[in-house]
Amino acid sequence: MSLQHSSEDKIEVKRTQPDQSLGCSIIDEQGREVPITEDMIQNACRELEKRLVKPAEQE
C-alpha cells in the first residue's frame, strides 16, 4: 500500500496565476486569516509521508 498514485491517477491542475488562491484559509495564532497555498499542502504531504508507518505484511 502506498500514498503514491500511479501516473494514470494524477490530475493536472492548471491555474491562470501561479499564486492563485485555493479558496481556503486557516486562522493563525494572532487571529489573522492566512490563505492555504499549494506549497503548504505539498509540504504537509511530504511530512506525512516521512512519518508513514508501513503496515505489517499478512501471511
Side-chain angles (χ1 to χ4, degrees), residues 10-29:
K10 290 186 181 179
I11 298 172
E12 187 173 343
V13 176
K14 293 183 182 181
R15 293 191 178 80
T16 56
Q17 302 167 5
D19 296 328
Q20 186 174 2
S21 171
L22 298 175
C24 50
S25 57
I26 58 172
I27 305 298
D28 70 7
E29 298 85 18

Side-chain angles (χ1 to χ4, degrees), residues 38-39 41-51:
E38 185 171 349
D39 282 341
I41 294 170
Q42 293 293 335
N43 288 337
C45 289
R46 280 191 287 277
E47 287 298 316
L48 285 171
E49 285 188 343
K50 286 180 192 175
R51 291 168 172 75

